[in-house]
Amino acid sequence: VEPGSSHELTYYVDTDAQNPFQLQPRVETLGVGSVRENLPEENISEQDVSAWIAFTQPSFTVNPSASQLYTLPNGQETRAQGSYTFRLNVPSRGEAEPGYHMVRLRPNAQFDAGSGAGFGTTSVGLALPSLTFRVEGDVRREIQATDAEALRIGENRVQIVLQFTNTGTVTTSYRGGRLNIYREDRKVGEVYIRGFEIAPGESIETDAVWNSGDLGGGVYRIEGAMSYW
């Protein structure tokens, strides 16, 4: 899709429910860890795009007894008991990050508990469709450690402060991991760095505390690898 473009899409609902019910659809952005499509991870943006989706109305009625025949954009026909329409409004260039974006649509069915619709012997299961689209542009997923500081905060305790900067072009998340601590050539400990999400051009600080059994004088170094796929 082109930045600044708008696209209208419709989701059709086929159900074996016995009574009418309401849909109050919601949308959520999917991260790299939730992706099931065969997409190249290096071309994925994790920008929150939920605000790009606008439903034409807040709720839609599905009437199981009123099946209709719908014609799809490709000319094929499908029969369904309801539908809901939404628009994908892609922001202008500079606001819409390039790369693949993924969202999941949650129908959020609302049943009438008084009538028993959706309860008892009636089984209603609505699929959670996902939408994948690609915004044109150069995609670079890149996070760099731009600063590090170690502060002694106790006899055998050290606070390690790290600064990371997103030097790429898309929002990227770091899943967290361990860093090894060495004194000369001997490993003397490790710390866990918690995960974070960072937008392009932004910096973030994170810290960890190393509790050493014997924090003697000397030169220490930290080594580790960062995975953000």
Side-chain angles (χ1 to χ4, degrees), residues 47-67:
Q47 181 182 16
D48 184 357
V49 298
S50 56
W52 300 8
I53 304 292
F55 294 97
T56 55
Q57 58 192 74
S59 63
F60 302 81
T61 299
V62 177
N63 188 351
S65 63
S67 180

Side-chain angles (χ1 to χ4, degrees), residues 11-86:
Y11 174 57
Y12 299 96
V13 180
D14 182 19
T15 178
D16 60 359
Q18 302 301 310
N19 298 284
F21 58 91
Q22 294 284 319
L23 298 181
Q24 297 179 359
R26 301 290 183 268
V27 62
E28 63 177 346
T29 299
L30 298 179
V32 172
S34 303
V35 178
R36 294 184 178 179
E37 291 87 351
N38 186 24
L39 297 176
E41 292 182 337
E42 65 271 16
N43 290 332
I44 293 175
S45 167
E46 296 181 79
Q47 181 182 16
D48 184 357
V49 298
S50 56
W52 300 8
I53 304 292
F55 294 97
T56 55
Q57 58 192 74
S59 63
F60 302 81
T61 299
V62 177
N63 188 351
S65 63
S67 180
Q68 299 183 51
L69 192 64
Y70 297 91
T71 302
L72 304 179
N74 62 4
Q76 293 183 348
E77 294 183 336
T78 185
R79 187 167 293 279
Q81 288 80 43
S83 66
Y84 59 85
T85 300
F86 60 93

Side-chain angles (χ1 to χ4, degrees), residues 1-228:
V1 296
E2 291 281 350
S5 62
S6 183
H7 310 266
E8 186 171 279
L9 304 117
T10 300
Y11 174 57
Y12 299 96
V13 180
D14 182 19
T15 178
D16 60 359
Q18 302 301 310
N19 298 284
F21 58 91
Q22 294 284 319
L23 298 181
Q24 297 179 359
R26 301 290 183 268
V27 62
E28 63 177 346
T29 299
L30 298 179
V32 172
S34 303
V35 178
R36 294 184 178 179
E37 291 87 351
N38 186 24
L39 297 176
E41 292 182 337
E42 65 271 16
N43 290 332
I44 293 175
S45 167
E46 296 181 79
Q47 181 182 16
D48 184 357
V49 298
S50 56
W52 300 8
I53 304 292
F55 294 97
T56 55
Q57 58 192 74
S59 63
F60 302 81
T61 299
V62 177
N63 188 351
S65 63
S67 180
Q68 299 183 51
L69 192 64
Y70 297 91
T71 302
L72 304 179
N74 62 4
Q76 293 183 348
E77 294 183 336
T78 185
R79 187 167 293 279
Q81 288 80 43
S83 66
Y84 59 85
T85 300
F86 60 93
R87 296 187 68 83
L88 169 62
N89 300 309
V90 185
S92 60
R93 194 177 303 276
E95 295 182 12
E97 294 180 8
Y100 288 100
H101 300 264
M102 294 142 292
V103 296
R104 176 180 289 135
L105 302 176
R106 292 190 172 275
N108 193 24
Q110 303 295 311
F111 302 106
D112 183 357
S115 67
F119 298 91
T121 59
T122 301
S123 176
V124 179
L126 293 178
L128 301 180
S130 61
L131 173 66
T132 301
F133 58 93
R134 180 179 178 273
V135 177
E136 294 187 354
D138 175 43
V139 180
R140 285 186 293 108
R141 293 173 59 86
E142 184 177 271
I143 299 176
Q144 292 187 5
T146 50
D147 196 14
E149 186 178 15
L151 306 171
R152 190 164 188 164
I153 57 175
E155 182 177 354
N156 291 309
R157 301 178 75 236
V158 175
Q159 182 184 28
I160 299 171
V161 182
L162 300 172
Q163 183 185 74
F164 295 96
T165 301
N166 186 336
T167 54
T169 61
V170 296
T171 299
T172 303
S173 62
Y174 167 55
R175 300 178 183 176
R178 297 190 181 278
L179 301 178
N180 296 324
I181 302 173
Y182 295 88
R183 182 181 179 186
E184 298 179 349
D185 293 328
R186 184 172 63 91
K187 180 181 175 180
V188 293
E190 62 181 23
V191 291
Y192 179 80
I193 302 298
R194 59 185 177 272
F196 56 82
E197 183 180 275
I198 184 170
E202 292 188 354
S203 296
I204 190 171
E205 275 194 357
T206 185
D207 68 332
V209 175
W210 175 40
N211 293 293
S212 170
D214 180 18
L215 186 60
V219 177
Y220 294 81
R221 75 177 190 276
I222 299 175
E223 291 185 0
M226 170 175 281
S227 174
Y228 43 82

